[in-house]
Amino acid sequence: MTRLWPRSLSGQIALLVAIALFVAQAINFGMLLRERRAVRFAQVTVPAVTRMVDAAERVRGGRPVDPRRLDRDRPRAVRLVADNPLSHQEPSDGEFEAAVRSAFADAALQVGRIETEIRLVDPDSPVLRRMDRVHAERLRRFGATLKVAAEIPGHGWLVLETPWPNTQQGLVWQLVAQTLILYGFVLLPVLWIGRRISKPLRALAQAAHDYRPGSAANTVEESGPGDVRAVIAAFNGMSVRVSGMLEEKDRMLGAIGHDLRTPLAALRVRIESVEDDADRARMAETIDEMNRTLEDILSLARLGRPSEPETQVDLAALVDAVVEDFRDLGADVSFEEAERQRLRLRPTLMRRAIRNLIENAVKYAGGAEVRLVADPARVRIEVADRGPGIPPDQIARVFQPFTRLETSRNRETGGIGLGLALAQAIVGDAGGEIALANRDGGGLLATITLPRG
């Protein structure tokens, strides 16, 4: 049912209008049918039933009823016959039978079985040509005849044949034609109006989808009904306010970065006067860690408005360069040679995301195995290690900023838990995904999946 429901605004409006028209036409059909039945009852049923009751009273009083055979030359005459003349091969009318039985009961007349039979009239029947012209035209106009037989106990069967209006089928086709005309005159304008209304909404949705903080103001033309124009104006105002807030945030982050780097640089100069080499080395490492932490925080905060443009990059060469950096530092990191993979991304940020994953593997497992796996739709960067892994129920939590499963804060595994959060944000900005999974036999597999194009 959900698949049949249209997704567009104009389609939903048109469907609702079509359902409303169908319901209205169904109600109209019911009212017309009821009216036709009322007319038929007054013009056909009542006179026919009256003739049947009158004939039954004559039979009960011993007065004769026209004994001639029933034929179409005199369709409104009541006949008294010995046996039931109905063939039981044509449709009957229970409502007429009930009316006859009720009339006999009101007249205190005994009646046995009451049966009816409706036969369609063939306009070209030779029987009609032999009939009186007025009666023949009446039968053609009504379209059918109703033959009713009422059993009078001890006397036989009273039989009456009368013209019967066969208008229900014509009424159905008439209403079908009216409905199709209504659909043509109502639904087409509704579809056109719905598309005109939804056009500015589609433009608004596209503008919201394409909105990027820091990009040029992407205002949407205010058009359509008043409510739609109000929504578009609210979006335009919101985009301006969001851009202003982000610019203010960038200025604040720049000031914070400058104000924090300056004392750290001063501290770096001051520790040179420390005579103890071990103390001086520990102080230098602490200052370097503070600088890395500050850089991670600023990078994560600015990721929504990156200053680096996207360029065509050989991903295999980029990964190989990161691995070589770790090898130069003496880390046990291996990389399987891979074919060139050209992707459009921000190289500095992607380098940082890959470095964070390898750095975690080296930090917790002492080494890493890096692979590049490509298929026609995407490219995967796999960083595997043989470390302790991560409890399955904690995998989702490690991507949250400032989350560390190892809380000792020692120098070997130090940090504030921004590496994976920053890597996930960078990969997400590139349209990709990052996932962690425990390896069979121990260790962790971190996978970056990037789409092509």
Side-chain angles (χ1 to χ4, degrees):
M1 188 66 182
T2 305
R3 294 179 180 178
L4 299 178
W5 186 260
R7 296 181 179 274
S8 65
L9 175 63
S10 57
Q12 292 185 11
I13 292 175
L15 179 60
L16 291 175
V17 172
I19 293 174
L21 287 176
F22 180 80
V23 172
Q25 286 296 92
I27 295 174
N28 185 34
F29 175 76
M31 293 176 66
L32 286 176
L33 189 60
R34 184 176 180 181
E35 181 182 351
R36 293 288 180 91
R37 286 180 175 176
V39 172
R40 185 180 65 188
F41 184 82
Q43 296 182 354
V44 178
T45 304
V46 171
V49 170
T50 301
R51 293 175 65 85
M52 292 287 292
V53 171
D54 180 66
E57 288 179 342
R58 294 177 64 187
V59 169
R60 188 178 63 176
R63 289 175 289 173
V65 176
D66 194 341
R68 288 179 297 175
R69 290 180 57 81
L70 182 64
D71 56 37
R72 292 184 180 271
D73 293 335
R74 299 196 53 186
R76 293 177 63 85
V78 180
R79 307 287 186 262
L80 180 63
V81 296
D83 299 317
N84 184 0
L86 303 189
S87 63
H88 302 98
Q89 296 179 354
E90 303 293 340
S92 60
D93 190 293
E95 184 179 355
F96 190 93
E97 294 173 3
V100 173
R101 187 171 296 279
S102 176
F104 270 77
D106 292 341
L109 296 173
Q110 290 186 352
V111 64
R113 289 182 295 163
I114 299 175
E115 298 180 4
T116 56
E117 187 177 77
I118 300 175
R119 293 183 180 179
L120 297 179
V121 173
D122 182 5
D124 300 324
S125 173
V127 176
L128 294 182
R129 289 196 290 269
R130 296 196 303 267
M131 292 177 59
D132 176 79
R133 186 175 62 84
V134 175
H135 289 161
E137 289 299 323
R138 179 178 173 84
L139 286 176
R140 290 190 181 96
R141 186 173 69 253
F142 275 67
T145 60
L146 174 71
K147 185 187 292 186
V148 56
E151 183 183 15
I152 307 299
H155 297 280
W157 290 77
L158 284 177
V159 180
L160 170 67
E161 186 171 6
T162 183
W164 190 253
N166 184 37
T167 58
Q168 288 191 10
Q169 186 174 5
L171 181 62
V172 170
W173 287 111
Q174 177 183 350
L175 288 176
V176 168
Q178 288 179 1
T179 303
L180 293 177
I181 293 173
L182 280 174
Y183 280 177
F185 278 97
V186 175
L187 286 185
L188 293 179
V190 166
L191 283 171
W192 180 74
I193 294 172
R195 289 186 64 86
R196 281 184 60 86
I197 293 174
S198 61
K199 183 177 179 181
L201 291 177
R202 291 195 300 270
L204 176 63
Q206 188 63 41
H209 181 269
D210 296 339
Y211 177 74
R212 294 293 181 271
S215 60
N218 187 18
T219 58
V220 183
E221 180 185 358
E222 297 180 17
S223 59
D227 294 343
V228 176
R229 289 199 303 270
V231 172
I232 295 174
F235 170 80
N236 290 335
M238 181 193 67
S239 63
V240 172
R241 291 193 300 273
V242 169
S243 297
M245 293 171 60
L246 291 175
E247 290 174 0
E248 181 64 25
K249 183 200 73 171
D250 286 346
R251 287 193 294 269
M252 180 184 68
L253 289 175
I256 292 174
H258 178 270
D259 292 344
L260 291 178
R261 286 192 182 97
T262 299
L264 288 175
L267 284 174
R268 187 61 184 256
V269 173
R270 286 177 179 272
I271 66 172
E272 296 300 327
S273 61
V274 177
E275 295 181 358
D276 189 287
D277 292 341
D279 289 343
R280 186 169 61 251
R282 284 195 296 271
M283 292 178 184
E285 289 182 10
T286 301
I287 293 173
D288 290 341
E289 185 176 351
M290 292 175 67
N291 276 318
R292 288 195 300 270
T293 299
L294 176 62
E295 191 64 31
D296 284 346
I297 293 174
L298 294 178
S299 297
L300 188 62
R302 289 172 175 162
L303 198 59
R305 293 161 60 87
S307 57
E308 182 185 22
E310 291 185 345
T311 58
Q312 285 288 338
V313 177
D314 179 5
L315 189 60
L318 186 146
V319 175
D320 185 60
V322 176
V323 171
E324 286 299 324
D325 291 341
F326 280 92
R327 286 175 176 168
D328 292 342
L329 296 175
D332 182 16
V333 181
S334 64
F335 176 59
E336 296 182 8
E337 293 294 332
E339 297 181 357
R340 296 180 52 159
Q341 304 293 334
R342 304 289 295 183
L343 273 75
R344 188 171 183 84
L345 45 81
R346 296 182 173 90
T348 303
L349 289 177
M350 188 57 60
R351 178 192 293 267
R352 184 159 195 170
I354 299 169
R355 188 176 71 237
N356 286 355
L357 295 183
I358 298 176
E359 190 175 61
N360 279 347
V362 172
K363 187 182 299 182
Y364 292 101
E369 303 167 9
V370 184
R371 285 200 317 154
L372 196 66
V373 182
D375 59 45
R378 51 194 166 269
V379 180
R380 298 196 310 276
I381 305 168
E382 298 180 350
V383 179
D385 64 55
R386 285 300 179 183
I390 298 177
D393 59 338
Q394 298 292 320
I395 288 180
R397 195 168 71 89
V398 297
F399 286 108
Q400 299 175 6
F402 308 106
T403 298
R404 296 183 67 244
L405 301 183
E406 203 285 317
T407 59
S408 64
R409 303 292 183 187
N410 61 49
R411 195 171 298 279
E412 286 74 22
T413 61
I416 61 171
L418 282 179
L420 287 176
L422 184 58
Q424 186 184 50
I426 292 172
V427 173
D429 181 70
E433 297 177 348
I434 185 170
L436 301 178
N438 290 307
R439 301 177 67 188
D440 294 336
L444 190 70
L445 175 64
T447 305
I448 294 175
T449 304
L450 297 172
R452 293 184 181 272

